[in-house]
Amino acid sequence: MRWFLKFAGSTIGLKIVMAVSGLLLFGFVIGHMLGNLQVYLGAETLNAYGATLQGMGPLLWVVRLGLLAIVLAHIGSSVALVRLSHAARPQSYKKVQPRASTYASRTMRVSGPIVLAFIIFHILHLTQGAAHPELQHCVTGADGALQCFVHENVVSAFSLTGANVAYKAFSVVFYVVAMVLLGLHLGHGAYSMVRTLGLSNPRYDRIARALATAVTLVIVIGNCSIPIAVAVGLVRTAGGH
Amino acid sequence: MNLTLHVWRQNGPSDKGRFETYQANGISEHMSFLEMLDFVNEKLESEGKAPIVFEHDCREGICGSCGFMIDGKAHGGQHRTTVCQLHMRSFKDGDVLTLEPWRAAAFPVLRDLMVDRSAFDRIVQAGGYVSVRSGSPQDANAILVGKEEVDRAFDAAACIGCGACVASCPNASAMLFTGAKISHLGLLPQGQPERYRRVQAMTQTMDEAGFGYCSNHGECSAFCPKDISLDVIAMTNRDLMAAQVKGRSEG
Ligand code: FES
């Protein structure tokens, strides 16, 4: 155990903690998006998917707590590393002209906290409901089957009709902005993770970078499409709205 | 040509330091950047002022002594060029240049543009060597080494330890330097017996010296006068992970 703590506390060890947790979160983001894209398959499919997840019972909490632990490892390692970085250059340059770094790589410390704020909002918005007054929670029907209203909730959260239009418009904008920042974060993160884990090979470096960008673009476009599709009326509930 | 220089002046490690402005007039385009500073210093001395201190030795781009930031770019930012090999023909009449020392907690400023890079020496002392038995020399070419490995090891061995990587890194990380030394020896058969002990000891010394971490920005490699590749960092990470399994008892 002692050797592990020593390793995990070194700068490279902390980077590896960050890379591995980042990789797991990257996988989660892809899975989450694929699940959500079922919104385009109609209310029945999406609601059934929601009921399946909710029906997992205690297992759902195992997954949630696991995700929380991964997020905490990711944040903890980044806080430790940023502090090291400040200590390593107490006096900054009067002038610097970066050449190889990218906008995404230089703004990781900004995009990260904003994405975190978004995740908290997102949970209060579409899971817990504190930020979404019209949210309908799952109910157990007369036949004992779990009935969920994911589709209705997504529509009432972003459709620019009815009450609270300004708040819903803000939600759409916040989701889109957060996804673009998530894209920047993942774009550099995926590339950096490959290098940190020593998986890079000079021969495939270009391909790795292109692949990281492509997957990131798919995530940004896929996720942004949902609130936008609802806002412009492409996705609506059967009953109207 | 005539230039305006904003130069960092600091009387010693404990002095706060400040920028001062000098005119460099009548500079020939054939001068190297350091010769230009020599010229400015002669004038300063003739006026009874203290010359600008900068480190230099070979002036051939091979010793790694020289180096400072010119307008926010390590060694002036010319590809594969140390500041001693940088010529004034790459500047224009009327240019205004800011000269700053490498800035890193692990590289304290000794005076003006000269920093103390002994942290690099400590990293090398921790494992940047190969232990051999003394005695009669082996036959040349007795140990066969693949061409690809030789090339990669040689590329890593080109590092002159100037510190431009640390200076350019937004985190003041020394991973490119340390990785170059680790890869240089780790790729060759002679370096194998100490490979995992080496990576542990050298990266630990690097951390203790107060360098930052690598976030793969790539600035180090972009400003390295010897074009050391970022791949040496990936190899270091890989070796350190392998060392947790293979070389733990040694560390
Ligand atoms: S003085 Fe030796 S490398 Fe510049």
Side-chain angles (χ1 to χ4, degrees):
Chain A
M1 199 61 207
R2 260 189 57 197
W3 68 268
F4 180 76
L5 287 179
K6 189 173 154 201
F7 170 61
S10 68
T11 53
I12 297 176
L14 283 167
K15 276 298 295 189
I16 289 170
V17 170
M18 182 186 274
V20 171
S21 56
L23 175 66
L24 295 170
L25 292 170
F26 195 86
F28 169 77
V29 167
I30 293 174
H32 189 52
M33 177 193 69
L34 292 177
N36 288 351
L37 286 179
Q38 296 178 64
V39 74
Y40 296 115
L41 301 178
E44 225 164 278
T45 316
L46 187 66
N47 289 346
Y49 167 68
T52 313
L53 292 186
Q54 287 294 326
M56 287 181 358
L59 196 62
L60 183 63
W61 280 101
V62 173
V63 173
R64 282 174 172 168
L65 290 176
L67 276 171
L68 182 67
I70 296 168
V71 168
L72 289 179
H74 200 65
I75 297 175
S77 54
S78 68
V79 169
L81 285 168
V82 168
R83 286 176 62 179
L84 279 175
S85 167
H86 286 307
R89 176 163 299 133
Q91 183 164 12
S92 48
Y93 290 108
K94 185 177 169 205
K95 195 165 180 184
V96 255
Q97 292 198 52
R99 176 178 281 174
S101 56
T102 58
Y103 181 75
S105 76
R106 288 191 300 268
T107 52
M108 294 299 272
R109 296 167 194 182
V110 181
S111 54
I114 297 177
V115 168
L116 174 67
F118 167 75
I119 293 172
I120 295 169
F121 176 74
H122 179 51
I123 292 172
L124 295 177
H125 191 214
L126 281 169
T127 304
Q128 191 266 344
H132 186 3
E134 293 160 61
L135 185 97
Q136 293 174 265
H137 286 285
C138 299
V139 290
T140 312
D143 53 353
L146 199 60
Q147 214 190 339
C148 290
F149 308 95
V150 185
H151 198 272
E152 288 76 4
N153 291 338
V154 171
V155 171
S156 58
F158 303 118
S159 97
L160 303 180
T161 51
N164 287 330
V165 174
Y167 176 64
K168 290 172 184 179
F170 158 79
S171 304
V172 174
V173 172
F174 188 28
Y175 271 67
V176 170
V177 169
M179 284 309 114
V180 171
L181 288 172
L182 176 69
L184 284 177
H185 201 79
L186 294 183
H188 176 70
Y191 165 79
S192 180
M193 178 263 295
V194 169
R195 300 209 72 101
T196 299
L197 296 181
L199 304 172
S200 60
N201 180 319
R203 220 179 284 172
Y204 307 123
D205 197 53
R206 280 247 182 86
I207 305 175
R209 208 157 197 169
L211 203 68
T213 312
V215 176
T216 303
L217 269 179
V218 170
I219 292 173
V220 173
I221 294 171
N223 280 337
C224 283
S225 76
I226 300 172
I228 294 175
V230 175
V232 300
L234 282 174
V235 170
R236 55 182 103 201
T237 45
H241 250 308
Chain B
M1 67 176 85
N2 300 330
L3 303 167
T4 306
L5 307 176
H6 298 300
V7 186
W8 181 259
R9 300 305 304 264
Q10 185 173 336
N11 287 333
S14 52
D15 181 23
K16 244 183 82 217
R18 72 221 69 87
F19 280 99
E20 268 169 40
T21 305
Y22 303 98
Q23 292 303 322
N25 294 340
I27 301 299
S28 150
E29 60 168 22
H30 301 299
M31 288 179 178
S32 76
F33 203 91
L34 298 188
E35 281 165 340
M36 182 275 289
L37 284 182
D38 291 338
F39 190 75
V40 172
N41 277 344
E42 269 173 37
K43 187 158 165 276
L44 284 176
E45 279 177 277
S46 72
E47 292 166 359
K49 294 184 189 142
I52 301 162
V53 172
F54 55 89
E55 201 182 346
H56 62 100
D57 187 13
C58 71
R59 298 209 178 193
E60 302 189 315
I62 53 172
C63 74
S65 304
C66 65
F68 43 82
M69 302 296 271
I70 303 173
D71 261 357
K73 293 180 281 189
H75 290 294
Q78 198 174 85
H79 187 54
R80 282 180 175 250
T81 307
T82 53
V83 72
C84 60
Q85 291 282 291
L86 179 67
H87 284 83
M88 295 314 293
R89 54 180 165 268
S90 24
F91 298 92
K92 301 187 305 291
D93 184 43
D95 274 357
V96 180
L97 304 175
T98 303
L99 310 188
E100 271 182 278
W102 297 158
R103 297 227 185 264
F107 284 169
V109 174
L110 293 174
R111 206 180 166 119
D112 301 340
L113 302 176
M114 182 180 185
V115 301
D116 176 1
R117 283 175 296 120
S118 54
F120 271 9
D121 299 336
R122 293 199 296 280
I123 293 174
V124 170
Q125 280 159 7
Y129 49 79
V130 166
S131 306
V132 288
R133 290 178 77 90
S134 54
S136 49
Q138 237 177 347
D139 282 347
N141 302 328
I143 304 172
L144 297 180
V145 193
K147 167 80 172 132
E148 253 197 29
E149 280 70 45
V150 169
D151 285 348
R152 285 173 60 205
F154 194 80
D155 286 346
C159 168
I160 53 174
C162 63
C165 46
V166 173
S168 313
C169 173
N171 307 312
S173 167
M175 280 292 281
L176 195 72
F177 168 78
T178 313
K181 302 301 166 199
I182 287 169
S183 307
H184 158 207
L185 301 172
L187 283 163
L188 294 174
Q190 293 88 343
Q192 296 312 308
E194 288 151 313
R195 180 168 176 179
Y196 297 105
R197 204 176 318 161
R198 175 182 306 119
V199 69
Q200 285 177 304
M202 290 182 78
T203 55
Q204 193 187 332
T205 310
M206 171 188 84
D207 283 357
E208 285 164 2
F211 292 106
Y213 67 104
C214 170
S215 39
N216 298 302
H217 288 294
E219 298 292 359
C220 53
S221 181
F223 285 101
C224 172
K226 298 297 159 183
D227 226 1
I228 304 288
S229 156
L230 278 185
D231 295 324
V232 301
I233 298 178
M235 178 169 169
T236 300
N237 292 341
R238 210 156 47 223
D239 274 8
L240 189 67
M241 283 188 273
Q244 304 310 312
V245 184
K246 296 184 191 174
R248 228 184 333 126
S249 52
E250 302 166 349

